[in-house]
Amino acid sequence: MPDLTSSPAADVPTGYTELVEALKERVRTSRVRAARAANTELLRLYWSIGHDILERQRRYGWGSKVIDRLAGDLRAAFPDHRGFSRRNLHYMRALAAAWPTEADFVPQPVAQLPWGHVRLLLDRFDAHDLREWYAAGAAQQGWSRGVLEHQIATRLHTRLGAAPSNFSVHLPPADSDLAQALTRDPYVFDHLGFTEPVAERRLEQSLVDRLQETLTAFGHGMAFVGRQVHFPVDDSEMVVDLLLFSIEQVRYVVVELKVGSFSPAYTGQLGAYVALVDERLRRPERHAPTVGILLCTQAPREQAVRYALASTAAPVAVASYTYDTLPPEERAALPDAATLAAAITPTPGSSDDGEDADGPG
């Protein structure tokens, strides 16, 4: 038989290249499934250990010293397993207390997360519903632990879908709900590192320079189309500040930035941009209707926004944005921009938790 690995391209049999690519994708998919299954099994083990500790503490009144001894015995029995520290055993106990039965725990999104994410949720929340909400977001959108910590610190659950809009008037009900889910109020751009007000053009450029973190701030599945996108109109042109595309919803998103307070004239301007993109770029048979998001540095007044939204026929939302929204002590607790960027694209073999970690971080 000929050696296909060294033969010229002309000698490759018909269909061979397609088979190789299909097999590569199959191997990659299998590896991902295997890693997820291994992670879920690890969390199932940790839950069972925590459950047994909790039950014996209730039954026999065990104190913390027993956990110390148990940690030592397990580490001696399994020296290659880094997850049996005293600290981790206390987290396992907390895990079992938060999800009292295995049937409550294993089917939930939290069981799909790395152990470092689970520990963070246990640290940050007492409320079960908030743990579940952020666990679902992290599992569905693939947040790194740094991104998860940032979303918690900036209270994403209170910002998501919170921007006032006229989507329900100008879009069908189901599409209106989807478009509303794209909004936040306020949008948080702490990754820009500004400590004082800046000009709109400098802000736009900084958002593009830090594009990866910016798209994360706008939500999952958002792609960058362009900044200062010029469209010829009659004898002049119209310029869109930022143009994004929601891959999940298959729609263009026009973003207009304004430094200062809200003006009703801004929604008219944004509405014209939305109509322009809808006509020039959108393919109705493939794309959902284009929507616009107006971002102002000062929180808009409710009545002014309501009247402005009622006066435009384009589906738009109005929100505030900030790049210095957290108190100094909370901002200091967040990873810096470089750490966040590294967390979004982790290096192979990296671990979140050092000695106390085990499995994918």
Side-chain angles (χ1 to χ4, degrees):
M1 291 182 61
D3 181 3
L4 295 178
T5 61
S6 59
S7 298
D11 295 336
V12 174
T14 302
Y16 177 79
T17 301
E18 291 80 359
L19 175 61
V20 169
E21 293 305 314
L23 291 180
K24 286 179 182 177
E25 184 60 30
R26 194 179 305 168
V27 170
R28 293 188 191 102
T29 301
S30 178
R31 285 177 173 175
V32 170
R33 284 201 300 260
R36 287 176 178 169
N39 181 73
T40 298
E41 190 58 34
L42 177 69
L43 290 183
R44 191 196 300 264
L45 170 66
Y46 284 178
W47 180 90
S48 69
I49 292 173
H51 179 264
D52 287 348
I53 292 172
L54 197 60
E55 283 298 302
R56 281 159 179 77
Q57 283 184 323
R58 290 169 177 167
R59 189 182 307 171
Y60 303 123
W62 284 6
S64 60
K65 290 185 177 180
V66 178
I67 296 181
D68 294 348
R69 180 173 180 176
L70 182 60
D73 287 342
L74 288 175
R75 295 182 85 165
F78 305 100
D80 295 332
H81 192 106
R82 296 181 299 163
F84 293 138
S85 67
R86 174 186 179 277
R87 185 182 179 203
N88 254 0
L89 261 61
H90 277 282
Y91 275 114
M92 294 174 203
R93 181 191 180 280
L95 176 66
W99 286 271
T101 70
E102 188 174 4
D104 291 332
F105 173 66
V106 173
Q108 301 305 318
V110 68
Q112 304 171 29
L113 298 179
W115 179 233
H117 288 57
V118 178
R119 285 172 41 170
L120 179 61
L121 292 172
L122 292 170
D123 279 338
R124 294 292 187 269
F125 297 115
D126 293 324
H128 186 75
D129 58 341
L130 286 178
R131 284 199 200 106
E132 294 279 22
W133 193 92
Y134 281 96
Q140 292 167 6
Q141 302 186 28
W143 294 338
S144 70
R145 194 172 64 166
V147 171
L148 173 60
E149 187 160 14
H150 180 78
Q151 304 291 35
I152 293 171
T154 58
R155 296 176 57 81
L156 177 64
H157 68 282
T158 65
R159 298 187 292 114
L160 191 64
S165 75
N166 60 8
F167 294 159
S168 62
V169 176
H170 299 294
L171 298 174
D175 198 35
S176 169
D177 291 343
L178 286 173
Q180 189 67 45
L182 291 174
T183 71
R184 288 116 174 84
D185 193 17
Y187 286 79
V188 177
F189 299 139
D190 277 340
H191 62 276
L192 299 180
F194 294 138
T195 57
E196 57 186 21
V198 294
E200 288 168 12
R201 291 296 176 265
R202 184 186 169 203
L203 176 61
E204 290 170 18
Q205 186 60 53
S206 297
L207 289 173
V208 175
D209 290 344
R210 306 300 298 275
L211 185 58
Q212 190 172 47
E213 296 98 325
T214 299
L215 293 179
T216 299
F218 275 98
H220 180 59
M222 200 69 77
F224 177 74
V225 178
R227 168 192 175 244
Q228 291 292 294
V229 182
H230 291 244
F231 292 92
V233 177
D234 296 328
D235 296 330
S236 60
E237 59 184 8
M238 298 173 69
V239 183
V240 172
D241 283 348
L242 288 175
L243 186 58
L244 308 178
F245 189 83
S246 172
I247 297 171
E248 290 191 339
Q249 296 191 18
V250 196
R251 75 166 84 241
Y252 287 99
V253 180
V254 179
V255 180
E256 182 71 10
L257 300 170
K258 296 296 180 184
V259 172
S261 58
F262 169 79
S263 167
Y266 296 156
T267 55
Q269 180 184 20
L270 177 58
Y273 293 160
V274 168
L276 177 67
V277 170
D278 223 33
E279 180 179 300
R280 301 280 181 92
L281 299 182
R282 180 191 172 216
R283 300 293 179 264
E285 69 279 5
R286 295 166 51 194
H287 299 153
T290 304
V291 298
I293 299 175
L294 174 66
L295 300 182
C296 302
T297 52
Q298 295 182 17
R301 295 180 179 276
E302 182 179 349
Q303 285 192 341
V305 169
R306 182 160 56 88
Y307 291 135
L309 290 175
S311 68
T312 180
V316 299
V318 179
S320 59
Y321 68 92
T322 177
Y323 35 79
D324 194 23
T325 187
L326 299 176
E329 62 275 9
E330 290 192 22
R331 209 160 52 243
L334 288 175
D336 60 25
T339 303
L340 275 175
I344 294 171
T345 54
T347 56
S350 63
S351 171
D352 278 333
D353 295 299
E355 182 179 281
D356 287 337
D358 184 60

